[in-house]
Each structure stands twice: as C-alpha cells, then as structure tokens.
Amino acid sequence: MSFTAAAPVRSVPAPSVPLQHVPAARDSGASGPAGLVRYWDSPAPYCLQTSLRILVRGKQDPTIRLGPGIAWLTFLTPEGPATLNLREEPVPAPGARVRASAWGPGAECALASVPALLGEQDDWSEFDDAAFLATLPRMVTETRRRNLSLRLPSTGRIMDTLIPVVLEQKVTVLEAYYAWRYLVTRYGVDAPGPAPAGMKAAPAPETWRRIPSWDWHQARVDHSRSTTILRACSQASALQRLADAPLGEDLTAKLCSVPGIGVWSAAEITQRTHGAPDSVSVGDYHLAAYVGAALTGQRTDDAGMLKLLEPWQGHRQRVVRMIMLSGYRKPTYGPKLAPMDHRRR
C-alpha cells in the first residue's frame, strides 16, 4: 500500500512497499478553501463505511460523519485542529484508492495519520488462511467472505477515544451518545475547512478539565464518570504516549492504572486506537450473551465467552466483528438497562 500526493491513478504497489513521504498537493476545488490532498492505494478491497463505523458515536456525533464511500472527521493534532475528508475513488478491482483531503493548522498531521486510520497495518492473512477459516463457524466465514474490504482502524488518539468510552460506562448507549454530543458541541473546537455544519473537534484535555459541574449534570454524566475523565485528562500527555506502545498486557495495565479505567474500557480503547485484533470487551452488558447465543444458541457469561473464543486466540476481536456484521440478533428476555438522569443529583 502507498500514500502519495495527488497524481493520476497508477499501478498499485505490493503491500510490502513502504509508505512514501512526499509533499501533499493543494486542492482549491469548489468544495471549499484550499486543502492538502494525498491518495492512499491498496491492492486489496477497502470499505470506508464498514471499517470506520466503530469510531462513530451515534448518528449525530459531531466529530465524524460517515456515509457510503465518504467520511468526514475533525480532531485536534499537536499542530492544531484539522478536518479530514476521505473519499473512495474508482480503481480496477480488486484494488482500492482513498482520496484524503485535509484543512486547518493540523492538516499535515491529519494526513500523516491516514494510513493507520484506514487500517494499513491490519493484517488478515492468518485469519484468511484456509486452515484457520476451517475452524470457524459458517456464520463467521460467510460474513468474512462478504466483508473482505473491512480493516480495523488505528486512530492513535488516546484521549479522543478514552473519554467517550468512559461516558459509555454503566449507562445505555443513547445516554452516552447524548453526553458526548452535548459536551463536544458545547466545548469543542469548530472544524476548519468545508466540514459539514455542526462538526467539532473534541476539546483538548485542559478544556475538559475546565467544564463546570453543572454542565456535567446537564450532559447527564454522573460524578464517577466525570471524575474518571478529569483524572485521565490530568495524565493526558503520559496517556497519549501509549499510542506508540505495542499491544499486550503492559499496555492494558498502563491504561488501567487510571482509577475508573478497567479491562472493559481498556479493550474498547485499544480496539480503536491500536486496531487490536484480539481485544475482547470483557464486562460488556450485552456482549457475552450475544456471542454465546450466536455461536451456540445459548447465552453465556464472560468466562463462557472467553472459552468459546479461545480457539481463535490472536483474532478474537475479528471473530466478534464478523458476528456483529452477520446481522445476527439474539432473542431478548427480561428488563433492559434503564436510562438514568443525573441532572438533579
């Protein structure tokens, strides 16, 4: 795969060819003010919408807008805010090409993050080996056959991932999405360039630390979650250095050294920041029962889920993603987790 400045479509290099560092071309088309443009080429299929869906926190997430063949993202970089637009472009099958355009002071940093964001280092070759596929349930192999264009993204942005994960602790997804949207919209940085209306980059750690208690309450975030976020923001520099740390127990332990961050949160974080292929969200309210029902027809607990997934050690997150993409829906019984309103507490 390669990453180049704007140029005519050419033959796609082999995956082993290193990333080409070349100056980005400038784009001053009708879509908005001048931005920087580069192309990412792959000899294998690629789908933006399927691959980046894991990064979206609800349909109204102000930091990312995702649709068929297109994605808009806005975030802070060490050089300042950036808006990133990704578009799939037609090339001969089975290859893929993504056009990356960026605006703002952090445009160069944003473009440098694109290969990892698109999953360039996500290697499915062992998973796709015939002998390995033969050990998997038909549900998984059939889903993989239909989704060869899926890659696991690596954002490298620890705090932008950690904070929404903490907001999802012990509440419904709708509550967590509301809190993220409310706080980012209120305290985030306006997206530079021609981003869709309403897009914002998530606040910097120092801004999160200045959010008053009444706005945490207005966002329906309880004291426990807001305190965890504030603790993490006080260690933001050290935590961000973990973006370059290798996957493994040491990385999980360092994330869990922040009070309020446990193994579930660490797994959810590394799935997005590092494209972790083996990370399983132990402690999730629904996941164990879902995986158990999909693989055996029977609900199970975390220990049972890990036992079921054990034969595919090293690729357990890939297996979970395939089950989720299969369209399987487990039977629902009993009460749902009820939303809580913390605004009067």
Side-chain angles (χ1 to χ4, degrees):
M1 284 164 277
S2 66
F3 197 38
T4 64
V9 177
R10 62 195 183 332
S11 60
V12 180
S16 59
V17 172
L19 176 67
Q20 299 181 29
H21 296 282
V22 296
R26 291 198 173 270
D27 172 31
S28 56
S31 60
L36 302 181
V37 178
R38 288 181 182 161
Y39 288 98
W40 179 81
D41 293 325
S42 169
Y46 182 79
C47 178
L48 271 172
Q49 189 170 25
T50 305
S51 299
L52 300 188
R53 186 179 298 157
I54 191 175
L55 305 180
V56 181
R57 310 286 178 173
K59 293 181 180 179
Q60 299 180 60
D61 186 341
T63 67
I64 180 170
R65 301 289 166 82
L66 190 60
I70 186 170
W72 288 91
L73 302 92
T74 185
F75 47 88
L76 297 183
T77 76
E79 302 301 322
T83 294
L84 182 64
N85 174 241
L86 303 170
R87 292 177 183 269
E88 295 173 6
E89 294 212 337
V91 294
R97 163 167 277 208
V98 174
R99 183 182 193 271
S101 308
W103 297 264
E108 285 282 5
C109 288
L111 287 175
S113 73
V114 167
L117 175 65
L118 297 180
E120 182 171 86
Q121 302 304 317
D122 183 31
D123 184 4
W124 285 74
S125 58
E126 185 178 20
F127 188 94
D128 291 335
D129 181 77
F132 188 88
L133 289 173
T135 69
L136 291 163
R138 183 175 179 181
M139 170 194 292
V140 174
T141 57
E142 284 296 305
T143 305
R144 174 57 181 161
R145 182 181 60 79
R146 296 193 304 270
N147 291 276
L148 294 174
S149 55
L150 168 70
R151 308 276 180 87
L152 303 183
S154 300
T155 69
R157 300 193 306 274
I158 299 292
M159 296 306 298
D160 281 0
T161 306
L162 181 150
I163 291 170
V165 165
V166 172
L167 291 175
E168 291 177 2
Q169 293 176 351
K170 298 181 180 179
V171 297
T172 65
V173 168
L174 291 179
E175 288 179 279
Y177 288 172
Y178 171 83
W180 175 247
R181 182 173 70 252
Y182 176 88
L183 293 167
V184 173
T185 299
R186 192 167 179 84
Y187 292 98
V189 179
D190 289 341
M199 289 200 72
K200 297 260 191 175
E206 56 268 24
T207 304
W208 285 106
R209 295 178 69 184
R210 292 198 299 267
I211 295 177
S213 59
W214 55 84
D215 263 341
W216 290 107
H217 286 291
Q218 190 63 34
R220 306 171 194 170
V221 179
D222 60 88
H223 179 71
S224 174
R225 287 180 292 153
S226 63
T227 300
T228 298
I229 290 170
L230 296 179
R231 285 196 197 105
C233 287
S234 70
Q235 305 175 46
S237 296
L239 287 169
Q240 183 54 41
R241 288 196 289 272
L242 297 179
D244 298 321
L247 287 166
E249 293 181 1
D250 188 51
L251 173 58
T252 298
K254 288 177 179 177
L255 288 170
C256 292
S257 68
V258 179
I261 302 292
V263 292
W264 177 84
S265 297
E268 291 284 315
I269 292 166
T270 57
Q271 287 165 19
R272 295 163 174 84
T273 59
H274 290 69
D278 194 50
S279 177
V280 183
S281 303
V282 174
D284 190 271
Y285 190 74
H286 298 286
L287 186 64
Y290 176 77
V291 170
L295 294 179
T296 69
Q298 300 292 325
R299 290 165 168 257
T300 189
D301 56 13
D302 284 328
M305 174 179 66
L306 292 177
K307 187 175 181 180
L308 287 171
L309 295 173
E310 186 176 359
W312 309 299
Q313 190 91 21
H315 299 280
R316 294 177 297 177
Q317 176 60 17
R318 300 191 201 280
V319 174
V320 171
R321 291 294 301 280
M322 290 299 103
I323 295 172
M324 290 179 171
L325 283 171
S326 71
Y328 174 78
R329 296 291 180 268
K330 70 177 177 66
T332 55
Y333 307 99
K336 296 181 179 179
L337 181 63
M340 298 178 65
D341 190 342
H342 304 278
R343 289 175 292 178
R344 294 176 180 162
R345 292 173 180 263

